Amino acid sequence: MIALLRYQAALLAGSHRWLPPVLLYAGFLVVGVGTGSPVLDAFAFAAAALLPLTVWLTRVCVTNEPPAARSCVAATAGPARAHLAAVVTAALAALAPALAGTAFVALFSDPRSNDQQVPVALLPATACGLAAAVVCLLLGTAVGAVCNRPVLHGTAWPVCAGLLGCVLLVVPALSPAGAVVRGLVAGSVSGTAAMPWLPLAAAIPISAAVVAAVCHLAARRG
């Protein structure tokens, strides 16, 4: 598996297809967060922006190989393991901007409530922001996995499905991603940072189950 991950990481780095989503995410942070934004609101924005980033990176990784190379890797390591390596590489690639975004918010945002009346402890707020980023990263990976091959092929339908998936992850209150974003925004009103244990505990098995199902489908379809 390590060799597959190195192979996928080399493909991703060499293709430079990671640049557009990463630069777009950085632009979102610079424009949307800015200096002096309430820290919990900024963490909510940074976490939500990770969803399209991770979906995009997952699409890049699962479609990066030429068909002939993909067939060779699948024949050698098995289609399920080969596909899993691509998805895991995307998640690991998204982890770097997620950590950088969390650090950016912690350094440049205002550690107070959104009315600037209640001070917010920066360390617990950063822990909550990082947990929210992990939740959105995991669910973005799941959406990216289910909205591309072997489930959906081509360009138009996967891209539209990925964008719709990002919206559906944030808007419903029952979604773990929506819950962490709303929790941070609500915490910004009261000036309290509450660790999103329940959304985090839900996001891990949901993401694992979706990715496992997609890899199983990749094995059946070859």
Side-chain angles (χ1 to χ4, degrees), residues 125-218:
T126 302
C128 292
L130 184 59
V134 170
V135 169
C136 291
L137 187 152
L138 290 172
L139 295 177
T141 301
V143 169
V146 83
C147 291
N148 290 286
R149 56 167 297 272
V151 181
L152 297 176
H153 295 268
T155 301
W157 282 111
V159 170
C160 293
L163 290 175
L164 179 61
C166 291
V167 173
L168 292 178
L169 282 177
V170 174
V171 173
L174 294 178
S175 164
V180 294
V181 171
R182 284 174 172 78
L184 288 169
V185 172
S188 184
V189 174
S190 61
T192 57
M195 195 69 177
W197 293 115
L198 186 58
L200 185 60
I204 294 172
I206 289 173
S207 179
V210 170
V211 171
V214 171
C215 291
H216 178 70
L217 183 61

